[in-house]
Structure formats: C-alpha cells, structure tokens
C-alpha cells in the first residue's frame, strides 16, 4: 500500500467566499446550488457574532455552509485560521478556542465516527487501511491522507462545493478528478461514451459514507454529556524500541467543566525507571481529549521528558481511553497509551517478561496491576490453558511475582490472565518457535534536517512471529510473539544506479535508531545532490534461525526525504 504521512500535506479548504461559492445563495451558481437537506442550527451567540457577518442565517437558526458540515476540533481550527487568513476575520485566541469547543460539540463527530480516523490527530505515520478502493485513493488520497476527508461529514451539496473548490485552487486535483474511475461500474442508463470519472464516483460515494445526518450523530447528540474525568486513571503505554510502561494518571478539574490538569507517573517494565509528567487537557464533544504535558528537561530528541501533545479517544461511558502522547518536530516519538479508570476493584495492567515458550519449566512472571490480592494461592491465578502456576513468590496490591510451568503441548496463542475477578485479555503469548521476523515499521519515513529545519527520526524494531494453523507466514492467523534481539544494517535500495544512498542518508544505531543526515546540497555526493534517498533497513535475528540453521532476517523500506518546509497541523488545539 502507498505510504502517506498522516500530517496534512494539502489542506482541504472549507470556506472561501472569493472562490466558487459565495456564503449566501447569490453566488455564481446560486440558482442551481440550493441546499435540500436539513441543516444543524447554530445556537451559540459567539459563533453567530463572529461568523454571521459572512455566513447568512435563516429562520431555522442555520448559518450558511456551517450548518451543513460536521468535523473534528482540528477541522474547525483549520476553518477559523482560513477565515482569518483569507477573509479578514478578527478574533482573539480566547474566542477562537471557545468557538472550536462549541462547534465540536454541536457540529462535531460522534465517537464512532471519529475513532476510525483518530490516527490523524494522533500524528501517526501509517499505511492507511480505510481507503475503500483505488478510485477513492486517486480522488482523495493522492495529495493528503484519506483520513482528512473522512474527518468531515457534509451534505451532498457541500461535498460538491468542496470538489469545485479543489478544482479552482489545485490544478492537480482537477487532473485527478477527470481520470476514469478504476474499479467502479458504469451507472445504468449512462452513455457509454461518457465515462465515469473519479470525481463523479466520489460525489456519489462520499454522501453515502460521510453524509451530514447519520444514526451515530443523532444518538450522540442526545447522549452527549459533560466529561467527568476527575480521579485516578491506570495507564498502560508502549514506545517502539523502549518497551512497555505502566503507571497512574491523576486528573483534576480545570477552569471549565471540559478542562483538566494532569499528573502522571509511568514505570518502565524494561529497566524499572520512573517517568513523571504534568499537563493540561480539554475534552471536545464529550470524548475527544486534546492536551499537552511535559516532564524533566529533554537532552535528546527521544527523551521521555520532552514536551508532548496528547490526543485520546474516551469511551462514551467515560471509563476507558486510548490514544497517543507524542512529541518531536515531526511527531515521530511518543507513547501509545491506554487508560482505564481506577476503582476499588482489582485490575490487571500487564504481564512481563511477556512471551513464554511451550515446554518451559519454572518461568518467572510478574503481573502488574491495581488492588491485586495480597495473599493469593497458586490456584487463585489463572494463566490460561497449558500454563500452571507452581508458586507465588511475592504479592502486593501492585505486583504479583509467580513461577509457572508451560506444558510442552500447550497450544500457541495469546493467553488471558484472571485474578480475583479481574481479567486481562491477550496478556502474553505462548509459542513453540519463531518462524519469521518483521522489521517494523515495514515502510518508514525520515526527514533530513539539523541546519534550518528539524530532523525527522525513525525507530525500528524486530518482531517475531509464529505461523498460524495454516502453516504459512504473513497470514491473519499468525501469532505475534514480540520483539526479538537483532543486529541492524542499511543496504542500498536500487532505484538509481551509483547514488550510494546508504552512505549519505544518515546513520543507524545498534539499537535501530535512525538519525538522518543534514539537509542541503552535499559537495561530497555525485552531482552535489542533497542527502535524500531510499534504503533498506535490515534486521538479522541474533538467536532465531530457519529450518536450514540460517539466522532469520527481514527488511524495511525507508525513504529519507527533505525537511518539512511547511506544516499544516493545528498545535493550538491542544494547548
């Protein structure tokens, strides 16, 4: 799949009275471009005051354009910035924040709608899996991530207006829309000579999957309530190349009902080190957390004390959350986090060291949790089929240390752990052998920098897998065993002869941390080229071998590209 940075490479413009469609119905297409769908009224006096001078109202409380779109907090922040830049809107930061809050609540996304595109505000660099077909990839994901349009809900007319605006502003968009739809049948009754284009298909597809009015939004509009998140939360986090962390986050009320302050303490399951952070957060639409936090002084790009931005999705019942705390100028570093509200009931957070091999006797396991029983017997602890607790070494409310035996015939797969009514699903895997490894991320992106622009780094990991029941690698039933020790190297990706990319793009450390080279022309390089290029990042397992006794290996494709000269993110949303 084509790899796209989820940072917005080209913003989808929302409102521009000077291009294509005026705010009122008196624009150039006003006679034919009339809204037929019911709008969502705007009730906030501040929104009416700041937006009503251009966006005309009607007797139902609607404001033109605004009442026929819904989006995320980042989407509304984009719109306000465009209004300032293009249409001369005068607005203070406090007013802007208030409007983003208001519109995110009244014209936002339901939790179910936002969850599938959370990787966009979380700033993840991923291979997108939500693109439905090649036609929509070409129509929408050629210039920016597909999550960008799917972060909006619009009326049918608004989707048409957006497409017209793209045609007016971006010549490449016009070219993409005019191309034939790759994998879509010609509609019945359409002239065969009049081929269905990507643009035509998009205008029939988007109103169906991202229309203004949805059952999810109707239900959430009635259900939405004030976020009551104050209290203690249990945190489980992971960082590529650094392992897992567990800890607590205390949330206290802020100045407003949807604002909070936080203090968090995390403990590494790898080396036992403790990390403390403090910050603030805002909850939009009752579930979307956007915050910022900081720890100790950061000396390196990947230091855990670095200032971070937080994007989290809280479950509608306000009992759990998941998301990412990320930092770095390119957002490449961060914690993947899961939160669960701390109660008087026991909770299991993690099991370490993790994977255990079938047939192992006397393996020591640590179970980290909350309010765990302090005097359990071996029979009180269930580690899943084929895994038997033989001894309880120590017990405290936060940690149990056990000794267990794993039966030689134990089935490979994840095990659930249960103690005193608490259950952690897929807590650790049992495996027989590692059949292959993957170098992750399998496709990677880094950026040159260090002179005038910040660098974009990359951390790699080697993950071991056992073939599933079908006995074939890289199929859905395979079992992820976990990180394995590996030696790392870079090799040339042969796209251009004699360019020696592996020599110039940067350096890969023994711990698989890639540091890119400086930006700008390099006089030592052929033709004085910049240091950009393509390479293979190769992992060779130190202990795992194939059936011929050869060390398992895998490689990741990495593009080292130019600096991020212009950024389209909205950091003010989380500050």
């Amino acid at each position: 799949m084509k790899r796209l940075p989820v940072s917005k490479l080209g913003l989808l413009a929302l409102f521009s009275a000077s291009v294509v469609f005026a705010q009122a119905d008196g624009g150039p297409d006003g006679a034919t471009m009339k809204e037929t769908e019911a709008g969502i009224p705007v009730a906030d006096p501040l929104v009416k005051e700041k937006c009503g001078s251009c966006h005309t109202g009607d007797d139902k409380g609607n404001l033109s354009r605004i009442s026929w779109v819904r989006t995320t907090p980042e989407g509304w922040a984009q719109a306000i910035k465009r209004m300032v830049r293009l249409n001369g809107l005068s607005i203070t930061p406090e007013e802007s924040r208030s409007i983003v809050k208001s519109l995110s609540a009244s014209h936002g996304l339901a939790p179910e709608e936002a969850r599938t595109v959370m990787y966009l505000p979380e700033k993840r660099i991923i291979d997108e899996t939500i693109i439905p077909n090649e036609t929509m990839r070409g129509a929408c994901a050629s210039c920016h991530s597909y999550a960008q349009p799917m972060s909006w809900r619009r009326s049918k007319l608004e989707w048409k207006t957006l497409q017209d605006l793209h045609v007016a502003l971006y010549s490449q968009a016009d070219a993409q829309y005019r191309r034939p739809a790759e994998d879509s049948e010609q509609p019945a009754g359409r002239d065969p000579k009049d081929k269905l284009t990507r643009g035509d298909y998009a205008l029939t597809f988007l109103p169906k999957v991202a229309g203004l009015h949805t059952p999810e939004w109707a239900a959430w509009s009635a259900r939405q309530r004030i976020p009551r998140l104050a209290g203690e939360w249990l945190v489980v986090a992971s960082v590529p190349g650094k392992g897992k962390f567990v800890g607590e986050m205390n949330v206290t009320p802020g100045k407003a009902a949807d604002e909070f302050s936080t203090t968090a303490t995390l403990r590494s399951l790898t080396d036992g080190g403790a990390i403390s952070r403090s910050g603030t957060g805002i909850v939009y639409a009752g579930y979307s957390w956007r915050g910022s936090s900081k720890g100790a002084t950061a000396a390196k790009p990947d230091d855990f004390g670095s200032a971070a931005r937080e994007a989290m999705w809280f479950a509608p019942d306000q009992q759990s959350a998941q998301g990412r705390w990320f930092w770095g100028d390119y957002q490449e570093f961060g914690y993947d986090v899961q939160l669960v509200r701390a109660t008087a009931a026991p909770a299991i957070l993690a099991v370490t060291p993790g994977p255990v091999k079938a047939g192992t006797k006397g393996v020591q396991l640590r179970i980290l949790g909350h309010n765990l029983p302090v005097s359990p017997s071996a029979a009180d602890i269930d580690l899943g089929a084929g895994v038997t607790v033989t001894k309880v070494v120590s017990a405290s409310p936060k940690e149990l240390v056990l000794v267990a035996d794993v039966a030689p015939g134990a089935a490979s797969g994840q095990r659930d752990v249960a103690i005193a009514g608490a259950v952690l699903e897929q807590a650790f895997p049992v495996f027989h052998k590692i059949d292959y490894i993957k170098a992750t991320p399998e496709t990677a992106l880094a950026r040159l920098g260090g002179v005038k622009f910040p660098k974009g780094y990359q951390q790699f990991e080697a993950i071991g897998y056992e073939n599933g029941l079908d006995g074939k690698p890289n199929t859905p039933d395979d079992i992820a065993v976990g990180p394995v020790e590996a030696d790392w190297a870079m090799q040339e990706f042969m796209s251009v002869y004699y360019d020696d990319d592996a020599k110039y793009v940067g350096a890969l450390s023994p711990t698989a941390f890639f540091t890119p080279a400086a930006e700008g022309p390099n006089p030592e390089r052929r033709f004085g080229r910049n240091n950009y290029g393509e390479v293979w990042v190769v992992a060779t397992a130190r202990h795992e071998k194939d059936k011929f006794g050869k060390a398992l290996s895998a490689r990741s494709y990495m593009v080292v590209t130019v600096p991020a000269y212009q950024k389209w993110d909205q950091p003010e949303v989380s500050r």
Side-chain angles (χ1 to χ4, degrees), residues 208-220:
K208 294 178 182 178
V209 300
L212 178 66
H213 299 287
T214 65
E216 294 82 5
W217 178 246
W220 186 244

Side-chain angles (χ1 to χ4, degrees), residues 127-138:
D127 293 311
E128 290 192 292
T129 59
I130 66 171
I131 303 176
N133 52 49
E134 287 303 311
T135 298
M136 291 307 296
R137 181 190 298 277

Side-chain angles (χ1 to χ4, degrees), residues 351-474:
V351 176
T352 185
V356 293
K357 193 171 185 178
T360 303
K361 300 290 186 180
V363 61
Q364 183 168 291
L365 298 174
R366 295 170 58 217
I367 299 177
L368 292 305
H370 171 76
N371 284 344
L372 298 175
V374 295
S375 56
S377 67
D380 296 331
I381 304 167
D382 186 351
L383 299 182
V387 186
T388 304
V389 178
T390 61
K391 181 181 181 181
V392 178
V393 177
S394 63
S396 70
K398 291 189 176 182
E399 179 179 289
L400 300 180
V401 180
L402 319 170
V403 176
D405 292 341
V406 186
S412 296
Q414 296 288 336
R415 296 300 194 270
D416 296 345
V417 173
I419 305 170
V423 178
L424 178 61
E425 296 181 347
Q426 301 186 34
F428 68 96
V430 171
F431 72 102
H432 284 76
K433 67 185 296 287
I434 293 177
D435 292 304
Y436 67 97
I437 66 172
K438 288 183 179 181
T440 60
E442 293 185 83
T443 52
L445 182 70
R447 291 189 182 273
L448 304 171
V451 180
K452 291 187 177 181
F453 298 92
K455 293 184 177 184
Y457 302 84
Q458 186 61 263
Q459 175 70 59
F460 294 90
E461 279 188 310
I463 307 297
Y465 290 83
E466 181 177 352
N467 294 337
L469 290 175
D470 62 8
K472 300 177 181 179
N474 298 298

Side-chain angles (χ1 to χ4, degrees), residues 15 57 104 109 119 148 182 190 221 228 231 233 291 305 307 321 365 368 393 402 411 417 428 541 545 555-556 567:
F15 310 131
S104 295
L109 299 186
Y119 62 87
Q148 175 68 15
E182 288 92 337
R190 189 182 183 99
S221 296
R228 302 188 185 281
W233 293 79
L365 298 174
L368 292 305
V393 177
L402 319 170
V417 173
F428 68 96
K545 302 182 184 300
R555 60 185 185 179
S556 167
K567 294 185 179 181

Side-chain angles (χ1 to χ4, degrees), residues 142-335:
S142 293
C143 299
H144 50 66
S145 67
Y146 190 69
Q148 175 68 15
M150 294 309 295
S151 295
W152 293 78
R153 296 297 183 270
R154 304 173 184 270
S155 67
K156 186 174 182 179
L157 177 57
E158 278 298 327
W159 282 118
K160 176 63 169 67
T161 303
L162 180 70
Q163 188 177 101
D164 289 345
L165 188 58
H166 274 62
V167 170
L169 294 180
Y170 313 118
S171 59
Q172 183 61 32
D174 187 31
Q176 293 290 344
Y177 294 151
R178 290 177 183 273
R179 293 181 179 179
E182 288 92 337
D183 43 17
S184 306
E185 295 182 3
Q186 195 81 350
R190 189 182 183 99
D191 186 345
K193 297 180 180 179
D194 184 15
K195 297 292 185 181
L196 185 71
T197 66
R198 288 174 173 174
D200 295 334
Y201 178 85
L203 289 182
T204 62
F205 181 81
L206 288 170
K208 294 178 182 178
V209 300
L212 178 66
H213 299 287
T214 65
E216 294 82 5
W217 178 246
W220 186 244
S221 296
R223 187 182 178 190
Q224 189 176 149
R225 58 193 173 98
I226 295 173
R228 302 188 185 281
L229 306 181
E232 183 181 5
W233 293 79
L234 308 175
V235 184
V236 179
S238 63
V239 180
K242 304 293 185 181
K244 285 189 175 182
F245 299 78
V246 297
E248 302 80 34
M249 184 172 79
N250 286 294
V251 179
T252 56
K255 296 179 180 179
D258 53 6
E259 297 182 8
F260 302 92
S261 296
T262 64
T263 57
T265 301
L266 303 179
R267 295 174 296 281
S268 169
L269 300 187
T270 303
D271 60 16
I275 302 163
S276 297
R277 303 189 64 85
S278 60
T280 58
I282 297 176
V283 177
Y284 297 93
Y287 69 92
S288 280
W289 175 285
R290 302 293 187 270
S292 60
S293 62
K294 61 182 180 180
T297 302
K300 299 184 299 182
D302 59 341
D303 273 356
F304 291 121
S306 301
R309 288 160 57 189
E310 302 172 350
M312 293 189 290
W313 182 94
F314 274 82
D317 63 4
Q318 299 182 9
Q319 297 300 305
S320 63
Q322 61 186 45
R324 188 166 184 253
W325 303 347
F326 56 91
W327 64 90
D329 288 290
Y330 193 55
Q331 296 98 34
E332 63 269 50
F333 304 114
Y335 301 88

